[in-house]
Amino acid sequence: YVDWDFDALQELGRDFAPMAERLGVDITFSSKRYLELMPAGEPWQKSRISPGIHRLNMLRIAVEYEPQCRINTSELCRSGATYTIDTVSRLREEVGPDLPLVLILGSDQWFNLSTWREWQSLTDFVHIAYCARDGVRESEIPESQVLWAAPRMTEARKLVFSPSGRIARFEMAPHRASATAIRRTLAREPFARAMSSLDGWLDPGVASYIRTHGLYHPARHYPQVQHEHRRTHPARRQRP
């Protein structure tokens, strides 16, 4: 499953099937293999986030014609700060001990994994697959994380043969889309000009929803979420 924290669905939204292909998972014709997209609740490492109902609605629009995708709202239904370790442990309880579960992470999330709560326990419940992307140097990953990950590394296609405990790296075609750039452009430019600048990065239905609800306008205020003491990597955004 993908633990989703983007405010605007873009970088991954049009690549569900190719991503599954990279992981060696046939999600097109199997009733037991699919991508589960989970909008984040209140990620404790983010100080500003748009309301969950809007993020959920945009996700529903983006995957309307993606039958291999499902949406899990369990984090949105929880109150207070949310943590991935709690989410994966509950998922494991729900599906039982034998079903393979793969937590799919972006490269930035993988880079910051050692700042998450109980990060070393994640593989007790799921596999981890992280997407390699230009601009993130593996040499910058903390040594503690490298040492923890090394004995768990495997090929992505082998993740479906066991329920949890392994880590795989996979690659996808590069894309210029950026959630930060989308929000910044929508905040600074008139809508029509912003859409021209973004050059098709947004699903048309999602773009229409953003315009209708006035999202990402600089005058709009979003709720603050709970913070905890945390270690940061320079110039890197964090994820719970």
Side-chain angles (χ1 to χ4, degrees):
Y1 78 96
V2 181
D3 197 359
W4 201 271
D5 70 337
F6 292 125
D7 274 327
L9 189 64
Q10 77 297 336
E11 293 178 65
L12 192 58
R14 298 179 180 180
D15 294 313
F16 297 117
M19 178 174 61
E21 225 173 80
R22 293 286 184 180
L23 294 173
V25 178
D26 180 3
I27 58 176
T28 305
F29 302 105
S30 172
S31 61
K32 295 183 179 180
R33 295 179 180 178
Y34 53 87
L35 289 177
E36 188 159 284
L37 306 174
M38 182 176 294
E42 294 185 3
W44 66 271
Q45 291 181 333
K46 282 184 175 289
S47 60
R48 186 173 182 272
I49 190 169
S50 54
I53 186 61
H54 289 313
R55 290 181 285 116
L56 175 60
N57 287 339
M58 287 189 286
L59 183 56
R60 284 172 170 163
I61 293 169
V63 301
E64 182 179 3
Y65 300 107
E66 299 284 352
Q68 69 271 41
C69 298
R70 302 184 186 184
I71 298 175
N72 185 318
T73 61
S74 60
E75 279 207 4
L76 291 177
C77 294
R78 301 205 317 254
S79 60
T82 52
Y83 303 91
T84 301
I85 187 63
D86 296 335
T87 299
V88 297
S89 64
R90 292 183 185 186
L91 278 173
R92 178 54 66 192
E93 288 181 6
E94 291 174 9
V95 304
D98 301 322
L99 184 70
L101 290 176
V102 182
L103 172 61
I104 302 173
L105 303 178
S107 53
D108 288 342
Q109 294 172 316
W110 173 249
F111 183 94
N112 286 315
L113 187 69
S114 61
T115 70
W116 295 15
R117 170 179 281 194
E118 298 181 43
W119 61 277
Q120 292 172 310
S121 298
L122 290 171
T123 49
D124 292 345
F125 306 100
V126 296
H127 298 301
I128 294 175
Y130 68 94
C131 179
R133 192 182 69 179
D134 292 341
V136 176
R137 295 189 295 272
E138 303 255 346
S139 60
E140 296 179 355
I141 294 174
E143 183 180 7
S144 59
Q145 183 176 329
V146 173
L147 294 175
W148 169 78
R152 296 171 172 82
M153 295 300 297
T154 188
E155 298 176 49
R157 62 183 180 83
K158 294 182 178 180
L159 296 179
V160 296
F161 299 136
S162 60
S164 61
R166 310 295 283 178
I167 300 171
R169 177 181 184 271
F170 69 98
E171 297 182 358
M172 291 184 64
H175 196 293
R176 295 186 302 112
S178 160
T180 300
I182 289 173
R183 292 192 296 270
R184 184 185 299 119
T185 302
L186 289 168
R188 293 179 177 177
E189 300 181 12
F191 187 81
R193 185 184 303 167
M195 289 298 97
S196 177
S197 300
L198 294 174
D199 191 26
W201 287 5
L202 280 174
D203 176 277
V206 173
S208 177
Y209 185 93
I210 291 172
R211 183 177 190 180
T212 299
H213 295 276
L215 302 183
Y216 312 120
H217 190 277
R220 191 176 184 86
H221 298 286
Y222 299 113
Q224 299 293 312
V225 298
Q226 177 181 345
H227 287 277
E228 293 183 1
H229 175 72
R230 60 194 186 273
R231 173 174 61 82
T232 62
H233 292 289
R236 294 284 178 184
R237 291 192 308 165
Q238 296 190 18
R239 176 69 178 89

